Amino acid sequence: MSNSKSNLIRITNGRVVINGRIEEEETLWIQDGKFIDPERTFWEQRIVPDTIIDAQGMLVSPGYIDIQVNGAVGVDFTADRDNIVEGLDLVSKALLRFGCTAYCPTLVSSFPDAYRELLPHLKKRQGNIHDGAEILGVHLEGPFISPAKFGAHQLETLSISPNGVVDFEACYGFKLGSPSAEHIAFITVAPEMEGVMEVIPQLVEAGIQVSIGHSGATTSEAEKAISNGASMVTHMFNAMQQFHHRDPGIIGILGSAQCNPYFGIICDGIHCHPNSVKIAHTAHPDGVVLVTDAMSAMGLPPGEYHIGNMKVDKSEDRVYIQGTTILAGSVITIDACVRNFRLFTGCSIIEAIEAATLHPARALGITHKKGTFQSGADADFIFLDDELRVKRVFVAGEEVLI
């Protein structure tokens, strides 16, 4: 089923996840690919809908947002330079069937020539049924991270910034404040590395969100990074100092009185024990942002794949750097993360859904267009059954065949 954007569409008979609750009597109205004010539509314009969509009692949620996607269905955004345009289209379409209607393509640590070749192709792009999920901007995960916590990143690519922001610009190949920089959603950095702490405020001032991760930062260093403008933590518990009661490192942010950043959680039961997920949720429920950290093998059978320039082996449910026991991203989907999150924490349906909708939208500062049903927001939404399984997906008001 496909609806023309110019039509006035009414969604009825659904249980709408809105404003922190589930409303059974809520009716949603859509026109030109956006949610519109129903009172104004009915009382001022005095018009009736062209199309009525019966949700048949299902849950109606904003589309899921995944801010950390390294690749999927055989595509690796960092390594597949020759086919990046085709690969981007393939992943954007594939993500829709899991309810993901917007995402951040993620590049792992690379040499400068890779950024110069890839970034011109990784631009923000509106979602639609033809091109797939919306591209919200690139997540640059490195290379200004710690060699002690490099995870699945190629050690030789890592960098420091003794010359401050000049080193960032030289590495990525764009000037802060330039049109090219507008396509960067956020950058993951290790704040303890030389010169990085001082660059954080400049990145934020230029409109780029900063997340801390792949870092051996102490709790005080993490708190300073947050006070300097960093607003997120990349995949909490992974690639950071293990918890110690005298100095819990970045994990200690969860108990901080003055810092309340958003934090990614890979909810596959492998990257984080279910109890760890529950601890994080209990400590700071409004900060949870579910991410997949999906890599090229997501959606494919077991075998040999790659992340960046590193070969990996995929079993049924996990991926390791070849010849090691180092996890190399995940193969979970965002809808499975939502279901696991509810299972692991015992949270409500609303909390589980908002961790993949409202929270990532807030983290990126885009709630005016994503993650909500407010008037003017993009009409990206999904129908879910009571087990939180995706049944129908809509992008800009049009239904996707899944």
Side-chain angles (χ1 to χ4, degrees):
M1 171 182 174
S2 176
N3 301 300
S4 171
K5 283 189 178 183
S6 62
N7 284 352
L8 179 64
I9 303 167
R10 180 186 179 191
I11 303 168
T12 187
N13 194 29
R15 291 175 291 149
V16 182
V17 180
I18 188 169
N19 299 326
R21 58 186 184 274
I22 296 175
E23 292 287 354
E24 298 196 11
E25 302 299 324
E26 189 76 20
T27 297
L28 299 174
W29 293 77
I30 299 164
Q31 192 167 45
D32 296 324
K34 308 282 186 182
F35 292 112
I36 59 174
D37 184 343
E39 292 187 8
R40 184 174 179 182
T41 299
F42 183 78
W43 294 110
E44 294 184 15
Q45 298 183 34
R46 300 283 184 176
I47 53 179
V48 295
D50 299 290
T51 303
I52 296 177
I53 299 175
D54 186 351
Q56 298 181 320
M58 286 187 283
L59 292 161
V60 183
S61 163
Y64 293 145
I65 301 168
D66 191 348
I67 66 172
Q68 188 164 3
V69 181
N70 304 293
V73 292
V75 177
D76 182 278
F77 294 132
T78 306
D80 295 337
R81 299 195 214 178
D82 294 337
N83 303 300
I84 186 61
V85 175
E86 296 84 353
L88 199 64
D89 289 343
L90 184 62
V91 173
S92 297
K93 293 171 185 176
L95 294 179
L96 290 177
R97 68 177 181 264
F98 308 112
C100 179
T101 57
Y103 74 109
C104 291
T106 300
L107 299 181
V108 297
S109 297
S110 302
F111 292 112
D113 65 304
Y115 296 116
R116 284 172 170 75
E117 189 170 346
L118 289 166
L119 290 179
H121 299 292
L122 296 172
K123 295 182 177 180
K124 293 180 180 179
R125 185 174 73 185
Q126 196 74 23
N128 59 64
I129 60 170
H130 304 294
D131 297 328
E134 178 153 345
I135 299 171
L136 298 171
V138 180
H139 170 192
L140 295 171
E141 190 183 2
F144 298 94
I145 59 174
S146 171
K149 300 293 179 183
F150 66 95
H153 293 234
Q154 188 177 355
L155 190 59
E156 294 80 10
T157 65
L158 304 192
S159 187
I160 55 176
S161 54
N163 302 304
V165 74
V166 172
D167 291 322
F168 276 70
E169 292 177 330
C171 176
Y172 297 133
F174 59 76
K175 293 283 187 181
L176 292 188
S178 70
S180 296
E182 294 175 0
H183 296 285
I184 308 304
F186 69 105
I187 299 177
T188 292
V189 301
E192 77 277 14
M193 300 308 295
E194 183 180 358
V196 170
M197 189 74 78
E198 291 70 32
V199 173
I200 292 174
Q202 295 171 273
L203 294 172
V204 174
E205 186 177 356
I208 297 174
Q209 305 280 354
V210 175
S211 185
I212 57 176
H214 284 278
S215 165
T218 63
T219 297
S220 62
E221 287 171 331
E223 289 177 332
K224 183 178 179 181
I226 301 300
S227 67
N228 275 10
S231 56
M232 290 187 278
V233 174
T234 297
H235 44 51
M236 181 66 81
F237 302 116
N238 289 278
M240 59 187 61
Q241 178 180 315
Q242 292 186 354
F243 182 88
H244 190 282
H245 59 284
R246 293 195 182 93
D247 189 335
I250 293 175
I251 297 171
I253 289 288
L254 291 173
S256 176
Q258 65 265 36
C259 299
N260 293 290
Y262 293 96
F263 56 93
I265 284 279
I266 307 169
C267 214
D268 59 359
I270 299 165
H271 282 77
C272 299
H273 190 281
N275 292 1
S276 297
V277 176
K278 185 171 184 177
I279 288 169
H281 171 253
T282 301
H284 184 23
D286 292 336
V288 179
V289 175
L290 298 179
V291 299
T292 60
D293 198 19
M295 50 80 64
S296 62
M298 191 274 276
L300 297 177
E304 180 183 290
Y305 298 94
H306 58 271
I307 183 166
N309 294 319
M310 307 181 78
K311 291 183 178 180
V312 300
D313 290 321
K314 176 187 183 293
S315 63
E316 287 296 331
D317 61 354
R318 65 196 70 195
V319 183
Y320 293 117
I321 295 175
Q322 204 165 75
T324 77
T325 56
I326 299 174
L327 289 168
S330 85
V331 290
I332 197 169
T333 58
I334 192 67
D335 58 325
C337 284
V338 173
R339 292 191 294 272
N340 283 348
F341 184 62
R342 188 165 186 237
L343 176 67
F344 294 170
T345 66
C347 72
S348 67
I349 285 176
I350 297 166
E351 288 177 297
I353 289 173
E354 288 187 342
T357 55
L358 180 62
H359 294 183
R362 283 177 173 169
L364 294 180
I366 56 171
T367 53
H368 62 287
K369 62 175 295 186
K370 296 293 179 187
T372 72
F373 290 124
Q374 71 180 49
S375 179
D378 295 334
D380 299 345
F381 60 99
I382 56 179
F383 290 173
L384 304 164
D385 65 17
D386 288 339
E387 302 302 316
L388 299 179
R389 297 192 179 278
V390 177
K391 295 300 181 181
R392 298 174 72 179
V393 178
F394 298 78
V395 180
E398 297 187 87
E399 185 164 11
V400 179
L401 296 178
I402 60 171

